[in-house]
């Protein structure tokens, strides 16, 4: 299970947790304050009503307490009278309230049973004849308890919805805020896949950190593009400058080997110079071809190519090189229509580099199978060998310029440009190349090419 979370997810989680924490604290505070305020209000109302009854008694002493018709019920508060010994005289008392509950002077009490809860306030009143009575006010706060319970149930029901809604809003806000980052990532991947350093990130209207990051990245791309242009120009200039002296060296070596009377030691030394000169000449040719094909305005020459004839010709030409290692090359041509439109020079280089690569890194008495077939209108070229293979950690790097795998492969003479050129040729023909390999057992290259049309055919 992947434990890594995206920044978007992390921000959403933190946002949701913080909002819910503050909302929870606010709701809890409001809930507690509201409940406490309601209770305080009920207590004050209870004391006021008892005080009002006391005033009535003092104003109409003949009416109290002997009347049997005292029904004092105001604002939900039930009032009653008791004699000095605590015996009930008159008034209203809740059915479930313990009528013999002791009186406590000037103090609001909380009385409860299994089903009800009350606030009780007792006050002493003295008649004009000196007799003493108790005024008792009773107010039920079960309604508040029921309200609190109901609110609690609603909160428990609505809280998951609140979490979901908060997370959804947070995710949408975060997605919108980080949209430029996703666009940057997509463009960076495009640059990586296409190696087109001329692409730039869009300028953001907002002058924030993301805009600064975008501008910084564009500056970096400009700097890298400039460095690569200089590098390519240097390679091109160096190759051109080396071409003439290398040609002179090779021509003089050929002259001496063919027309001069040399002893064995002299001939061996000149052959070494000639071999190294050819090595340098091939490197220069490769660099010039790479430089030419990497130019922005470079377009391939659209030639009519007979792929069957081309492959057969190249295989025959390279059999002598394969025979030196006793490697068997087999060509299986399954193309119904071998006619292909592409760059002849580049296609020759593609076949030559891949076959040469298989021979170079092939085992003694090994095999190379070259297959050509067509599937769904696409041409497939397959190169299978049973050579030394490529380590898994090097498969993605073999397309880089001048990259050579470990010592077992780099012992062979090469520049590390062959597969880079193959990949570039495939890209120029709008195709795709894949490689699979088992180290020590062999390698397979699969090239898929679409059938291209000439410009004249496109405009027709």
């Amino acid at each position: 299970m992947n434990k890594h979370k995206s920044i978007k997810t992390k921000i959403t989680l933190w946002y949701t947790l913080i909002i819910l924490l503050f909302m929870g604290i606010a709701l809890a505070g409001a809930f507690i304050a509201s409940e406490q305020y309601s209770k305080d209000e009920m207590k004050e109302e209870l004391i006021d009503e008892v005080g009002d009854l006391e005033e009535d008694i003092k104003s109409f002493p003949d009416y109290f307490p002997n009347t049997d018709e005292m029904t004092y019920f105001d604002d939900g508060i039930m009032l009653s009278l008791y004699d000095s010994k605590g015996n009930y005289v008159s008034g209203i008392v809740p059915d479930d309230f313990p009528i013999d509950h002791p009186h406590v002077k000037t103090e609001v009490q909380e009385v409860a049973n299994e089903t009800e809860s009350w606030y009780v306030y007792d006050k002493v009143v003295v008649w004009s004849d000196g007799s003493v009575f108790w005024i008792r006010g009773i107010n039920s706060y079960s309604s508040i308890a029921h309200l609190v319970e109901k609110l609690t149930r609603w909160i428990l029901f609505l809280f998951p919805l609140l979490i979901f809604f908060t997370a959804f809003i947070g995710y949408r806000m975060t997605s919108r805020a980080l949209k430029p980052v996703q666009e940057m990532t997509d463009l960076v991947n495009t640059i990586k896949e296409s190696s087109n350093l001329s692409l730039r990130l869009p300028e953001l209207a907002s002058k924030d950190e993301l805009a600064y990051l975008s501008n910084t990245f564009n500056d970096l791309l400009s700097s890298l593009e400039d460095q690569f242009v200089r590098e390519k120009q240097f390679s091109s200039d160096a190759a051109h400058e080396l071409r003439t002296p290398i040609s002179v060296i090779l021509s003089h070596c050929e002259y001496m080997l063919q027309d001069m009377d040399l002893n064995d030691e002299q001939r061996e030394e000149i052959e070494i110079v000639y071999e190294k000169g050819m090595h340098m000449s091939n490197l220069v040719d490769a660099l010039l071809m790479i430089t030419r094909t990497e130019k922005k305005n470079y377009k391939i020459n659209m030639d009519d190519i007979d792929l069957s004839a081309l492959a057969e010709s190249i295989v025959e030409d390279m059999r002598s090189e394969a025979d030196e290692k006793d490697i068997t090359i087999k060509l299986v041509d399954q193309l119904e229509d071998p006619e292909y439109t592409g760059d002849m020079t580049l296609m020759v280089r593609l076949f030559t580099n891949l076959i040469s690569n298989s021979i170079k890194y092939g085992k003694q008495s090994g095999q190379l199978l070259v297959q050509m077939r067509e599937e769904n209108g696409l041409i497939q070229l397959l190169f299978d060998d049973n050579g030394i293979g490529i380590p898994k950690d090097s498969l993605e790097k073999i397309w880089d310029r001048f990259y050579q795998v470990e010592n077992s492969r780099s012992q062979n003479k090469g520049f590390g440009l062959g597969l880079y050129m193959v990949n570039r040729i495939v890209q120029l023909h709008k195709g795709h190349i894949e490689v699979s390999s088992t180290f020590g057992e062999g390698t397979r290259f699969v090239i898929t090419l679409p059938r291209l049309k000439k410009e004249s055919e496109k405009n027709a």
Side-chain angles (χ1 to χ4, degrees):
M1 182 178 178
N2 185 11
K3 296 182 179 180
H4 299 287
K5 296 183 177 67
S6 65
I7 294 178
K8 189 188 302 182
T9 303
K10 291 178 181 178
I11 293 177
T12 301
L13 289 175
W14 280 109
Y15 165 82
T16 304
L17 289 174
I18 292 173
I19 293 297
L20 290 178
L21 178 63
F22 277 103
M23 290 185 67
I25 293 174
L27 285 174
F31 191 77
I32 294 172
S34 177
E35 182 182 9
Q36 189 61 42
Y37 175 78
S38 298
K39 289 182 178 180
D40 291 341
E41 283 286 306
M42 292 183 69
K43 291 178 181 179
E44 290 180 7
E45 185 69 22
L46 180 62
I47 294 173
D48 288 343
E49 291 297 330
V50 171
D52 291 343
L53 180 58
E54 180 183 13
E55 292 294 329
D56 290 344
I57 291 174
K58 290 181 179 180
S59 299
F60 307 99
D62 296 335
Y63 185 77
F64 300 97
N66 297 322
T67 180
D68 293 331
E69 300 178 358
M70 177 182 171
T71 56
Y72 222 95
F73 191 107
D74 194 9
D75 291 336
I77 297 173
M78 291 163 277
L79 299 172
S80 56
L81 294 175
Y82 291 77
D83 62 20
S84 59
K85 296 181 180 180
N87 298 316
Y88 171 76
V89 176
S90 63
I92 300 176
V93 178
D95 293 338
D96 296 335
F97 187 84
I99 199 169
D100 57 348
H101 184 77
H103 295 75
V104 179
K105 188 177 181 179
T106 63
E107 181 179 341
V108 177
Q109 306 174 67
E110 292 186 14
V111 181
N113 59 20
E114 295 180 356
T115 58
E116 282 286 347
S117 300
W118 301 274
Y119 284 129
V120 178
Y121 179 66
D122 297 318
K123 191 172 185 180
V124 176
V125 60
V126 180
W127 254 254
S128 56
D129 61 359
S131 58
V132 177
F133 288 87
W134 286 92
I135 301 176
R136 168 163 285 179
I138 302 173
N139 193 359
S140 173
Y141 67 87
S142 297
S143 58
I144 295 180
H146 293 322
L147 178 61
V148 169
E149 183 180 353
K150 185 181 291 186
L151 287 175
T152 302
R153 285 199 300 267
W154 271 104
I155 290 175
L156 292 177
F157 172 75
L158 293 175
F159 208 69
L161 298 178
L162 182 63
I163 293 175
F164 175 79
F165 180 74
T166 305
F168 175 75
I169 295 299
Y171 186 82
R172 290 296 299 270
M173 292 173 59
T174 306
S175 299
R176 186 171 182 178
L178 294 179
K179 186 178 179 180
V181 176
Q182 185 62 49
E183 293 175 351
M184 292 180 192
T185 303
D186 294 339
L187 185 57
V188 169
N189 287 328
T190 301
I191 295 172
K192 176 184 175 183
E193 293 172 0
S194 64
S195 301
N196 184 4
L197 293 176
S198 64
L199 297 176
R200 294 293 181 269
L201 297 174
E203 293 187 6
L204 301 179
S206 60
K207 303 300 179 182
D208 54 13
E209 291 83 353
L210 291 179
Y212 179 74
L213 175 63
S214 178
N215 294 333
T216 303
F217 196 84
N218 283 336
D219 292 340
L220 174 62
L221 285 175
S222 298
S223 177
L224 288 175
E225 184 182 21
D226 183 59
Q227 293 295 328
F228 274 99
V229 168
R230 292 182 182 182
E231 177 191 339
K232 291 176 183 178
Q233 188 61 46
F234 172 78
S235 299
S236 177
D237 294 344
H240 278 291
E241 292 298 324
L242 289 172
R243 201 168 195 179
T244 299
I246 290 174
S247 298
V248 172
I249 292 172
L250 291 175
S251 62
H252 279 68
C253 287
E254 290 174 353
Y255 167 74
M256 286 186 288
L257 290 172
Q258 293 176 5
D259 300 332
M260 294 184 66
D261 187 15
L262 304 173
N263 58 40
D264 292 342
E265 184 177 352
Q266 292 172 334
R267 183 171 293 278
E268 182 179 354
E269 294 298 327
I270 294 174
E271 286 177 348
I272 292 175
V273 174
Y274 183 78
E275 181 183 355
K276 295 301 181 181
M278 287 298 298
H279 191 70
M280 289 294 295
S281 179
N282 292 334
L283 174 59
V284 168
D285 289 342
L287 288 174
L288 287 174
M289 175 172 283
I290 289 173
T291 302
R292 186 171 67 254
T293 59
E294 286 183 339
K295 291 181 178 178
K296 292 182 181 179
N297 58 352
Y298 177 78
K299 292 184 179 180
I300 61 175
N301 297 318
M302 303 301 284
D303 305 316
D304 292 327
I305 305 172
D306 187 328
L307 283 179
S308 298
L310 176 66
E312 186 175 352
S313 174
I314 295 174
V315 168
E316 288 301 321
D317 289 342
M318 303 195 72
R319 286 195 190 278
S320 58
E321 184 180 341
D323 290 340
E324 294 180 6
K325 295 181 68 172
D326 194 25
I327 292 178
T328 302
I329 304 178
K330 182 180 180 182
L331 174 62
V332 178
D333 184 1
Q334 297 175 320
L335 291 176
E336 295 181 4
D337 180 11
E339 294 299 322
Y340 177 72
T341 302
D343 192 302
M344 173 68 80
T345 303
L346 295 182
M347 292 304 296
V348 170
R349 175 72 70 168
L350 182 146
F351 275 92
T352 302
N353 283 5
L354 285 175
I355 295 175
S356 177
N357 189 76
S358 295
I359 295 173
K360 189 181 300 181
Y361 302 117
K363 297 177 182 177
Q364 193 70 27
S365 302
Q367 294 180 348
L368 169 61
L369 174 61
V370 181
Q371 301 179 72
M372 298 192 301
R373 63 193 185 195
E374 186 168 355
E375 289 186 2
N376 300 323
L378 300 175
I379 295 174
Q380 280 194 341
L381 308 177
L382 297 89
F383 298 80
D384 290 277
D385 67 54
N386 59 350
I388 62 176
I390 304 171
K392 187 176 181 180
D393 58 355
S394 297
L395 284 176
E396 293 297 324
K397 302 175 184 177
I398 61 173
W399 311 114
D400 298 339
R401 281 193 292 176
F402 300 107
Y403 179 79
Q404 291 180 310
V405 192
E406 58 182 25
N407 294 333
S408 61
R409 292 179 66 90
S410 58
Q411 289 174 355
N412 297 279
K413 298 177 182 178
F415 311 117
L417 294 173
L419 292 179
Y420 173 82
M421 292 175 63
V422 168
N423 189 33
R424 181 62 182 155
I425 292 169
V426 172
Q427 290 176 353
L428 290 170
H429 286 81
K430 311 298 182 185
H432 178 69
I433 184 170
E434 295 179 350
V435 59
S436 57
S437 182
T438 302
F439 189 59
E441 296 183 12
T443 303
R444 161 178 273 206
F445 291 94
V446 180
I447 298 173
T448 304
L449 298 172
R451 290 191 176 275
L452 303 178
K453 293 182 180 180
K454 296 180 180 180
E455 290 296 329
S456 57
E457 295 177 353
K458 292 181 181 179
N459 298 328

